[in-house]
Amino acid sequence: MTGEKTAEWAERAVREAEAEFASGTVTEAGTAPEPGSSPSREEQVLERIERARRRRPKIKETQITLAHGAGGKATQTLVEALFLEAFRNPALESLDDGALLELGSARLALTTDSYVVSPLFFPGGDIGDLAVNGTVNDLAMCGARPLHLSAGFILEEGFPVADLRRIAASMAAAASRAGVAVVTGDTKVVERGKADGCYINTAGVGLLERPITLGAAEVRPGDAILVSGPIGEHGVTIMLARGELEIEADLTSDTAPLIGPAAALLDALPAGVRLLRDATRGGVATILNEVARAAGAAVMVDEAAVPVRSEVTGACELLGIDPLYVACEGRFVAVVDGDHAEHALKTLQADPLGEGAAVIGHVQDEPPGLVLARTAFGGTRVIDTLVGDPLPRIC
Protein backbone atom coordinates (compact mmCIF):
# COMPACT_ATOMS: atom_id res chain seq x y z
CA MET A 1 0.00 0.00 0.00
CA THR A 2 1.43 3.36 -0.97
CA GLY A 3 1.22 6.42 1.23
CA GLU A 4 -0.78 8.19 -1.47
CA LYS A 5 -3.41 5.47 -1.57
CA THR A 6 -3.56 5.30 2.21
CA ALA A 7 -4.25 9.03 2.34
CA GLU A 8 -6.95 8.67 -0.30
CA TRP A 9 -8.77 5.97 1.65
CA ALA A 10 -8.31 7.82 4.91
CA GLU A 11 -9.61 11.07 3.38
CA ARG A 12 -12.76 9.21 2.41
CA ALA A 13 -13.17 7.84 5.94
CA VAL A 14 -12.70 11.33 7.38
CA ARG A 15 -15.37 12.76 5.08
CA GLU A 16 -17.78 10.07 6.29
CA ALA A 17 -16.84 10.68 9.93
CA GLU A 18 -17.28 14.42 9.50
CA ALA A 19 -20.65 13.91 7.82
CA GLU A 20 -21.68 11.78 10.80
CA PHE A 21 -20.46 14.48 13.17
CA ALA A 22 -22.34 17.15 11.22
CA SER A 23 -25.52 15.05 11.40
CA GLY A 24 -25.31 15.19 15.20
CA THR A 25 -25.02 11.45 15.85
CA VAL A 26 -21.76 12.05 17.66
CA THR A 27 -20.28 14.93 19.66
CA GLU A 28 -16.67 15.91 19.85
CA ALA A 29 -14.53 15.14 22.87
CA GLY A 30 -11.27 14.86 20.92
CA THR A 31 -7.86 16.37 21.39
CA ALA A 32 -6.03 19.24 19.76
CA PRO A 33 -3.02 18.65 17.49
CA GLU A 34 0.35 18.56 19.19
CA PRO A 35 1.92 22.06 19.09
CA GLY A 36 5.18 22.50 17.24
CA SER A 37 4.85 19.29 15.23
CA SER A 38 4.88 19.11 11.45
CA PRO A 39 3.07 15.91 10.54
CA SER A 40 2.87 14.79 6.97
CA ARG A 41 -0.39 15.05 5.06
CA GLU A 42 -1.06 11.37 5.62
CA GLU A 43 -0.37 11.69 9.36
CA GLN A 44 -2.71 14.67 9.55
CA VAL A 45 -5.50 12.68 7.92
CA LEU A 46 -4.99 9.68 10.20
CA GLU A 47 -4.91 11.97 13.22
CA ARG A 48 -8.26 13.45 12.20
CA ILE A 49 -9.67 9.92 11.90
CA GLU A 50 -8.45 9.09 15.40
CA ARG A 51 -9.99 12.25 16.80
CA ALA A 52 -13.29 11.39 15.12
CA ARG A 53 -13.18 7.95 16.72
CA ARG A 54 -12.62 9.32 20.19
CA ARG A 55 -15.78 11.42 20.05
CA ARG A 56 -18.25 10.29 22.64
CA PRO A 57 -21.39 8.72 21.10
CA LYS A 58 -24.62 10.62 21.62
CA ILE A 59 -28.12 9.70 20.51
CA LYS A 60 -29.66 12.49 18.48
CA GLU A 61 -32.95 10.80 17.62
CA THR A 62 -35.90 11.20 19.97
CA GLN A 63 -37.51 7.93 18.86
CA ILE A 64 -36.17 4.45 18.18
CA THR A 65 -35.93 3.53 14.50
CA LEU A 66 -35.35 0.21 12.74
CA ALA A 67 -31.74 1.28 12.24
CA HIS A 68 -31.19 1.04 16.01
CA GLY A 69 -31.64 -2.73 15.72
CA ALA A 70 -29.68 -3.25 12.53
CA GLY A 71 -26.37 -4.03 14.18
CA GLY A 72 -24.55 -1.10 12.59
CA LYS A 73 -23.59 2.41 13.64
CA ALA A 74 -27.02 3.30 15.06
CA THR A 75 -27.06 0.13 17.18
CA GLN A 76 -23.53 0.81 18.36
CA THR A 77 -24.47 4.35 19.38
CA LEU A 78 -27.61 3.15 21.21
CA VAL A 79 -25.71 0.48 23.12
CA GLU A 80 -22.73 2.63 24.06
CA ALA A 81 -24.53 5.92 24.74
CA LEU A 82 -27.56 4.52 26.57
CA PHE A 83 -27.26 0.93 27.80
CA LEU A 84 -23.54 0.90 28.56
CA GLU A 85 -23.82 4.22 30.37
CA ALA A 86 -26.75 2.91 32.43
CA PHE A 87 -25.36 -0.54 33.28
CA ARG A 88 -21.59 -0.07 33.05
CA ASN A 89 -19.54 -2.82 34.69
CA PRO A 90 -16.37 -4.77 33.76
CA ALA A 91 -18.25 -7.80 32.39
CA LEU A 92 -20.42 -5.65 30.10
CA GLU A 93 -17.74 -3.29 28.81
CA SER A 94 -16.23 -5.81 26.41
CA LEU A 95 -19.58 -5.86 24.49
CA ASP A 96 -18.82 -9.38 23.27
CA ASP A 97 -21.36 -12.07 22.40
CA GLY A 98 -21.59 -13.04 26.05
CA ALA A 99 -20.41 -12.01 29.50
CA LEU A 100 -17.60 -14.01 31.11
CA LEU A 101 -18.24 -14.64 34.81
CA GLU A 102 -16.35 -16.37 37.61
CA LEU A 103 -18.49 -18.17 40.20
CA GLY A 104 -16.23 -19.82 42.72
CA SER A 105 -13.83 -21.99 40.76
CA ALA A 106 -16.10 -22.10 37.70
CA ARG A 107 -15.74 -19.81 34.68
CA LEU A 108 -19.05 -19.28 32.91
CA ALA A 109 -20.34 -17.49 29.83
CA LEU A 110 -23.81 -15.89 29.92
CA THR A 111 -25.70 -14.55 26.92
CA THR A 112 -29.21 -13.53 25.81
CA ASP A 113 -30.87 -12.70 22.50
CA SER A 114 -34.34 -11.99 21.11
CA TYR A 115 -35.86 -13.22 17.85
CA VAL A 116 -38.47 -11.32 15.82
CA VAL A 117 -37.86 -12.80 12.37
CA SER A 118 -40.51 -12.41 9.67
CA PRO A 119 -41.74 -14.77 8.31
CA LEU A 120 -41.71 -17.20 11.24
CA PHE A 121 -41.17 -20.19 8.94
CA PHE A 122 -38.67 -20.06 6.08
CA PRO A 123 -36.66 -22.47 3.91
CA GLY A 124 -34.13 -24.22 6.13
CA GLY A 125 -35.61 -23.29 9.49
CA ASP A 126 -38.00 -21.26 11.61
CA ILE A 127 -37.94 -18.86 14.55
CA GLY A 128 -37.64 -21.80 16.97
CA ASP A 129 -34.38 -23.35 15.79
CA LEU A 130 -33.08 -19.89 14.99
CA ALA A 131 -33.52 -18.89 18.66
CA VAL A 132 -31.76 -21.98 20.00
CA ASN A 133 -28.94 -21.94 17.45
CA GLY A 134 -28.34 -18.22 17.90
CA THR A 135 -27.91 -18.45 21.66
CA VAL A 136 -25.84 -21.62 21.47
CA ASN A 137 -23.59 -19.94 18.92
CA ASP A 138 -23.10 -16.85 21.09
CA LEU A 139 -21.80 -19.13 23.85
CA ALA A 140 -19.60 -21.09 21.44
CA MET A 141 -18.08 -17.83 20.19
CA CYS A 142 -17.05 -17.09 23.79
CA GLY A 143 -15.16 -20.38 23.79
CA ALA A 144 -17.73 -21.96 26.12
CA ARG A 145 -19.51 -25.32 26.08
CA PRO A 146 -23.24 -24.46 26.07
CA LEU A 147 -25.19 -26.11 28.90
CA HIS A 148 -28.63 -24.67 29.60
CA LEU A 149 -31.10 -22.28 27.94
CA SER A 150 -34.16 -20.32 28.96
CA ALA A 151 -37.01 -19.52 26.55
CA GLY A 152 -39.42 -16.62 26.85
CA PHE A 153 -42.40 -16.35 24.47
CA ILE A 154 -44.40 -13.21 23.66
CA LEU A 155 -47.49 -14.38 21.79
CA GLU A 156 -50.19 -12.37 20.04
CA GLU A 157 -53.81 -13.14 20.79
CA GLY A 158 -55.12 -15.39 18.00
CA PHE A 159 -51.77 -17.02 17.22
CA PRO A 160 -52.42 -20.63 16.05
CA VAL A 161 -51.61 -23.30 18.62
CA ALA A 162 -50.52 -25.60 15.79
CA ASP A 163 -47.84 -23.08 14.79
CA LEU A 164 -46.66 -22.73 18.38
CA ARG A 165 -46.46 -26.52 18.71
CA ARG A 166 -44.39 -26.65 15.50
CA ILE A 167 -42.04 -23.96 16.83
CA ALA A 168 -41.64 -25.74 20.18
CA ALA A 169 -40.83 -29.01 18.40
CA SER A 170 -38.25 -27.23 16.29
CA MET A 171 -36.64 -25.72 19.39
CA ALA A 172 -36.52 -29.14 21.06
CA ALA A 173 -34.83 -30.68 18.03
CA ALA A 174 -32.29 -27.87 17.82
CA ALA A 175 -31.54 -28.13 21.55
CA SER A 176 -31.04 -31.89 21.25
CA ARG A 177 -28.67 -31.43 18.30
CA ALA A 178 -26.66 -28.85 20.26
CA GLY A 179 -26.58 -30.97 23.43
CA VAL A 180 -28.32 -28.35 25.59
CA ALA A 181 -31.53 -28.33 27.63
CA VAL A 182 -34.24 -25.66 27.88
CA VAL A 183 -34.58 -25.55 31.66
CA THR A 184 -36.81 -22.53 32.34
CA GLY A 185 -39.03 -20.09 30.50
CA ASP A 186 -41.86 -17.60 30.47
CA THR A 187 -45.00 -16.91 28.43
CA LYS A 188 -46.80 -13.63 27.85
CA VAL A 189 -49.82 -12.97 25.59
CA VAL A 190 -50.54 -9.49 24.24
CA GLU A 191 -53.70 -8.15 22.59
CA ARG A 192 -54.41 -8.81 18.94
CA GLY A 193 -52.49 -6.34 16.79
CA LYS A 194 -49.88 -5.62 19.48
CA ALA A 195 -47.29 -8.07 18.12
CA ASP A 196 -46.53 -10.10 15.02
CA GLY A 197 -47.58 -13.59 16.07
CA CYS A 198 -44.64 -14.82 18.09
CA TYR A 199 -41.45 -13.34 19.50
CA ILE A 200 -38.90 -15.44 21.40
CA ASN A 201 -36.19 -14.47 23.86
CA THR A 202 -33.56 -17.02 24.80
CA ALA A 203 -30.76 -16.84 27.31
CA GLY A 204 -27.96 -19.35 27.76
CA VAL A 205 -25.19 -20.31 30.11
CA GLY A 206 -22.07 -22.24 29.18
CA LEU A 207 -18.92 -23.52 30.84
CA LEU A 208 -15.50 -22.12 29.93
CA GLU A 209 -13.20 -25.16 30.03
CA ARG A 210 -10.14 -23.71 28.29
CA PRO A 211 -7.67 -21.18 29.80
CA ILE A 212 -8.07 -18.80 26.87
CA THR A 213 -9.10 -15.20 26.29
CA LEU A 214 -10.91 -14.34 23.08
CA GLY A 215 -11.87 -10.90 21.85
CA ALA A 216 -11.12 -8.13 19.40
CA ALA A 217 -8.56 -6.67 21.82
CA GLU A 218 -6.46 -9.84 21.34
CA VAL A 219 -6.11 -9.28 17.58
CA ARG A 220 -2.74 -8.10 16.27
CA PRO A 221 -1.09 -7.33 12.91
CA GLY A 222 -0.12 -10.46 11.03
CA ASP A 223 -3.21 -12.41 12.10
CA ALA A 224 -5.31 -14.19 9.48
CA ILE A 225 -9.07 -13.85 9.06
CA LEU A 226 -11.23 -16.84 8.15
CA VAL A 227 -14.92 -17.41 7.56
CA SER A 228 -16.38 -20.85 8.23
CA GLY A 229 -18.39 -21.03 5.01
CA PRO A 230 -20.30 -19.15 2.28
CA ILE A 231 -21.88 -15.99 3.63
CA GLY A 232 -25.21 -14.23 3.23
CA GLU A 233 -27.52 -17.22 2.78
CA HIS A 234 -29.74 -16.62 5.81
CA GLY A 235 -30.43 -12.94 5.13
CA VAL A 236 -31.19 -13.43 1.45
CA THR A 237 -33.36 -16.49 2.16
CA ILE A 238 -35.51 -14.49 4.60
CA MET A 239 -35.86 -11.62 2.15
CA LEU A 240 -36.98 -13.92 -0.66
CA ALA A 241 -39.32 -15.87 1.66
CA ARG A 242 -41.36 -12.72 2.23
CA GLY A 243 -42.47 -12.87 -1.38
CA GLU A 244 -42.28 -9.10 -1.76
CA LEU A 245 -39.77 -9.33 -4.58
CA GLU A 246 -40.16 -11.11 -7.90
CA ILE A 247 -36.92 -13.01 -7.34
CA GLU A 248 -36.57 -16.77 -7.03
CA ALA A 249 -33.44 -18.62 -5.95
CA ASP A 250 -32.64 -22.09 -4.67
CA LEU A 251 -31.53 -20.96 -1.22
CA THR A 252 -32.06 -22.12 2.35
CA SER A 253 -31.05 -20.52 5.62
CA ASP A 254 -27.67 -21.59 7.01
CA THR A 255 -29.00 -21.66 10.60
CA ALA A 256 -27.01 -24.27 12.54
CA PRO A 257 -25.18 -24.81 15.86
CA LEU A 258 -21.51 -23.90 15.54
CA ILE A 259 -20.26 -25.71 18.64
CA GLY A 260 -18.41 -28.40 16.66
CA PRO A 261 -16.22 -26.31 14.34
CA ALA A 262 -15.58 -23.69 17.04
CA ALA A 263 -14.41 -26.32 19.54
CA ALA A 264 -12.30 -28.07 16.91
CA LEU A 265 -10.53 -24.81 16.10
CA LEU A 266 -9.86 -24.01 19.76
CA ASP A 267 -8.51 -27.51 20.34
CA ALA A 268 -6.27 -27.38 17.24
CA LEU A 269 -4.84 -23.93 18.07
CA PRO A 270 -5.04 -23.63 21.87
CA ALA A 271 -2.95 -20.44 21.89
CA GLY A 272 -3.52 -19.26 18.34
CA VAL A 273 -7.18 -18.21 18.19
CA ARG A 274 -7.70 -14.50 18.86
CA LEU A 275 -11.43 -14.06 18.21
CA LEU A 276 -14.54 -15.99 17.22
CA ARG A 277 -17.72 -14.15 16.22
CA ASP A 278 -20.87 -15.43 14.49
CA ALA A 279 -21.73 -13.21 11.55
CA THR A 280 -25.35 -12.39 12.36
CA ARG A 281 -27.01 -8.97 11.95
CA GLY A 282 -24.59 -6.60 10.24
CA GLY A 283 -22.74 -9.51 8.63
CA VAL A 284 -19.02 -10.07 8.24
CA ALA A 285 -18.36 -6.39 7.51
CA THR A 286 -19.59 -5.28 10.94
CA ILE A 287 -17.37 -7.81 12.71
CA LEU A 288 -14.30 -6.74 10.76
CA ASN A 289 -14.93 -3.10 11.64
CA GLU A 290 -15.25 -4.02 15.31
CA VAL A 291 -11.94 -5.87 15.05
CA ALA A 292 -10.15 -2.99 13.34
CA ARG A 293 -11.49 -0.46 15.83
CA ALA A 294 -10.73 -2.50 18.96
CA ALA A 295 -7.30 -3.64 17.80
CA GLY A 296 -6.24 -0.25 16.44
CA ALA A 297 -5.15 -2.05 13.29
CA ALA A 298 -6.26 -2.37 9.68
CA VAL A 299 -8.08 -5.28 8.11
CA MET A 300 -7.38 -6.10 4.46
CA VAL A 301 -9.88 -8.43 2.80
CA ASP A 302 -9.29 -10.21 -0.49
CA GLU A 303 -12.72 -9.83 -2.07
CA ALA A 304 -12.18 -12.76 -4.45
CA ALA A 305 -11.44 -15.08 -1.50
CA VAL A 306 -14.77 -14.44 0.26
CA PRO A 307 -17.00 -17.49 -0.33
CA VAL A 308 -20.44 -16.43 -1.62
CA ARG A 309 -22.82 -18.70 -3.52
CA SER A 310 -23.79 -17.45 -6.97
CA GLU A 311 -27.48 -17.34 -5.94
CA VAL A 312 -26.63 -14.97 -3.07
CA THR A 313 -24.43 -12.84 -5.30
CA GLY A 314 -27.18 -12.57 -7.91
CA ALA A 315 -29.88 -11.65 -5.39
CA CYS A 316 -27.61 -9.10 -3.69
CA GLU A 317 -26.80 -7.46 -7.01
CA LEU A 318 -30.52 -7.09 -7.77
CA LEU A 319 -31.19 -5.70 -4.28
CA GLY A 320 -28.13 -3.46 -4.29
CA ILE A 321 -26.68 -5.08 -1.16
CA ASP A 322 -23.09 -6.08 -0.46
CA PRO A 323 -23.03 -9.76 0.73
CA LEU A 324 -20.46 -8.75 3.35
CA TYR A 325 -23.29 -6.95 5.20
CA VAL A 326 -25.87 -9.75 4.95
CA ALA A 327 -26.56 -11.82 8.06
CA CYS A 328 -25.63 -15.47 8.51
CA GLU A 329 -26.94 -17.78 11.26
CA GLY A 330 -24.55 -20.68 10.76
CA ARG A 331 -21.25 -19.03 9.84
CA PHE A 332 -18.58 -17.41 11.94
CA VAL A 333 -15.48 -15.27 11.57
CA ALA A 334 -12.26 -16.48 13.16
CA VAL A 335 -9.11 -14.41 13.64
CA VAL A 336 -6.08 -16.62 14.21
CA ASP A 337 -2.31 -16.35 14.43
CA GLY A 338 -1.19 -15.84 10.82
CA ASP A 339 1.52 -18.50 11.14
CA HIS A 340 -1.18 -21.11 11.73
CA ALA A 341 -3.74 -19.97 9.14
CA GLU A 342 -3.40 -23.08 6.97
CA HIS A 343 -3.80 -25.40 9.97
CA ALA A 344 -6.87 -23.46 11.08
CA LEU A 345 -8.36 -23.66 7.59
CA LYS A 346 -7.88 -27.43 7.34
CA THR A 347 -9.35 -27.87 10.82
CA LEU A 348 -12.50 -25.97 9.88
CA GLN A 349 -12.84 -27.72 6.53
CA ALA A 350 -12.73 -31.10 8.28
CA ASP A 351 -16.05 -30.30 10.00
CA PRO A 352 -19.27 -30.62 7.94
CA LEU A 353 -20.32 -27.12 9.05
CA GLY A 354 -16.98 -25.67 8.03
CA GLU A 355 -16.23 -27.44 4.77
CA GLY A 356 -16.68 -24.18 2.84
CA ALA A 357 -14.26 -22.26 5.07
CA ALA A 358 -11.77 -19.83 3.55
CA VAL A 359 -9.01 -17.42 4.52
CA ILE A 360 -10.38 -14.06 3.42
CA GLY A 361 -7.80 -11.56 4.65
CA HIS A 362 -5.23 -10.42 7.16
CA VAL A 363 -4.71 -7.85 9.87
CA GLN A 364 -2.03 -5.25 9.19
CA ASP A 365 -0.58 -2.18 10.89
CA GLU A 366 -1.95 0.58 8.70
CA PRO A 367 -4.17 2.44 8.24
CA PRO A 368 -5.39 1.79 11.82
CA GLY A 369 -9.11 1.31 12.32
CA LEU A 370 -10.01 0.82 8.67
CA VAL A 371 -11.35 -2.22 6.82
CA LEU A 372 -10.27 -2.36 3.18
CA ALA A 373 -11.14 -4.80 0.42
CA ARG A 374 -8.92 -5.61 -2.52
CA THR A 375 -11.31 -5.87 -5.45
CA ALA A 376 -11.23 -8.33 -8.33
CA PHE A 377 -10.12 -5.47 -10.63
CA GLY A 378 -7.04 -4.71 -8.54
CA GLY A 379 -8.45 -1.67 -6.78
CA THR A 380 -9.21 -1.13 -3.13
CA ARG A 381 -12.38 0.04 -1.38
CA VAL A 382 -13.29 0.94 2.18
CA ILE A 383 -15.75 -1.37 3.97
CA ASP A 384 -17.41 0.82 6.57
CA THR A 385 -19.75 -0.14 9.39
CA LEU A 386 -23.36 -0.56 8.31
CA VAL A 387 -25.41 2.61 8.80
CA GLY A 388 -29.03 1.62 8.08
CA ASP A 389 -30.91 -1.66 7.88
CA PRO A 390 -30.97 -3.21 4.38
CA LEU A 391 -32.86 -6.33 5.53
CA PRO A 392 -35.10 -5.69 8.57
CA ARG A 393 -36.34 -8.47 10.89
CA ILE A 394 -34.14 -11.27 9.64
CA CYS A 395 -33.41 -12.76 13.07
Side-chain angles (χ1 to χ4, degrees):
M1 179 187 316
T2 67
E4 184 179 355
K5 287 184 176 179
T6 299
E8 180 184 338
W9 296 320
E11 287 272 20
R12 190 180 310 165
V14 165
R15 287 197 297 274
E16 293 169 355
E18 290 178 340
E20 185 180 67
F21 178 52
S23 72
T25 54
V26 296
T27 58
E28 185 167 11
T31 59
E34 290 292 332
S37 62
S38 301
S40 66
R41 179 171 175 269
E42 180 179 328
E43 289 171 335
Q44 291 175 2
V45 171
L46 294 176
E47 186 179 355
R48 291 168 63 194
I49 290 178
E50 186 58 30
R51 289 209 309 271
R53 280 206 187 86
R54 286 200 293 264
R55 291 167 185 153
R56 183 162 49 86
K58 179 181 178 182
I59 301 175
K60 178 187 177 185
E61 297 84 0
T62 58
Q63 295 182 328
I64 296 298
T65 69
L66 287 175
H68 287 114
K73 289 182 178 177
T75 303
Q76 179 185 336
T77 300
L78 178 68
V79 170
E80 295 184 3
L82 196 153
F83 294 125
L84 186 56
E85 286 303 308
F87 307 130
R88 186 179 295 277
N89 61 71
L92 180 63
E93 284 177 345
S94 66
L95 298 179
D96 284 329
D97 283 333
L100 307 185
L101 308 171
E102 293 189 9
L103 300 178
S105 60
R107 296 176 66 236
L108 302 176
L110 176 67
T111 189
T112 185
D113 210 338
S114 299
Y115 297 85
V116 296
V117 63
S118 177
L120 298 175
F121 303 94
F122 47 83
D126 58 46
I127 190 172
D129 60 43
L130 193 66
V132 171
N133 289 337
T135 300
V136 163
N137 290 344
D138 282 346
L139 294 171
M141 297 302 103
C142 293
R145 178 166 61 88
L147 296 175
H148 303 296
L149 304 184
S150 71
F153 297 85
I154 298 176
L155 306 173
E156 182 182 6
E157 179 185 19
F159 188 68
V161 171
D163 284 354
L164 185 58
R165 181 175 287 113
R166 180 179 170 188
I167 290 170
S170 181
M171 293 181 73
S176 176
R177 181 183 179 188
V180 299
V182 178
V183 294
T184 187
D186 182 53
T187 304
K188 296 289 188 296
V189 179
V190 299
E191 296 90 343
R192 193 182 300 269
K194 299 294 185 183
D196 192 11
C198 175
Y199 300 148
I200 299 176
N201 172 270
T202 46
V205 62
L207 188 61
L208 291 158
E209 300 171 307
R210 302 174 180 84
I212 56 172
T213 300
L214 302 176
E218 304 298 316
V219 174
R220 60 200 67 171
D223 287 348
I225 301 166
L226 298 86
V227 292
S228 65
I231 64 172
E233 293 170 20
H234 176 74
V236 172
T237 296
I238 296 299
M239 196 64 193
L240 300 186
R242 290 177 187 153
E244 299 169 348
L245 303 170
E246 294 182 357
I247 303 175
E248 293 184 359
D250 185 18
L251 280 173
T252 60
S253 169
D254 52 34
T255 175
L258 297 171
I259 306 168
L265 191 59
L266 292 171
D267 289 340
L269 281 75
V273 181
R274 317 287 195 212
L275 170 138
L276 300 176
R277 190 70 57 85
D278 51 340
T280 54
R281 185 172 290 272
V284 172
T286 298
I287 296 173
L288 298 182
N289 273 279
E290 291 174 358
V291 167
R293 189 169 55 249
V299 170
M300 176 62 79
V301 175
D302 183 355
E303 208 168 52
V306 179
V308 187
R309 296 195 193 284
S310 58
E311 295 89 344
V312 172
T313 301
C316 286
E317 287 178 352
L318 290 171
L319 295 169
I321 302 171
D322 187 335
L324 285 168
Y325 293 98
V326 179
C328 313
E329 291 292 343
R331 312 289 188 225
F332 67 92
V333 173
V335 182
V336 306
D337 184 332
D339 292 338
H340 302 288
E342 191 63 26
H343 185 31
L345 179 62
K346 290 181 179 178
T347 300
L348 286 178
Q349 291 175 337
D351 189 289
L353 290 176
E355 60 184 7
V359 177
I360 66 167
H362 291 83
V363 180
Q364 58 189 37
D365 289 308
E366 294 184 343
L370 287 185
V371 179
L372 307 170
R374 188 178 298 109
T375 70
F377 300 103
T380 306
R381 66 186 178 98
V382 174
I383 301 176
D384 202 357
T385 304
L386 186 70
V387 175
D389 192 353
L391 298 174
R393 297 188 60 192
I394 53 178
C395 59

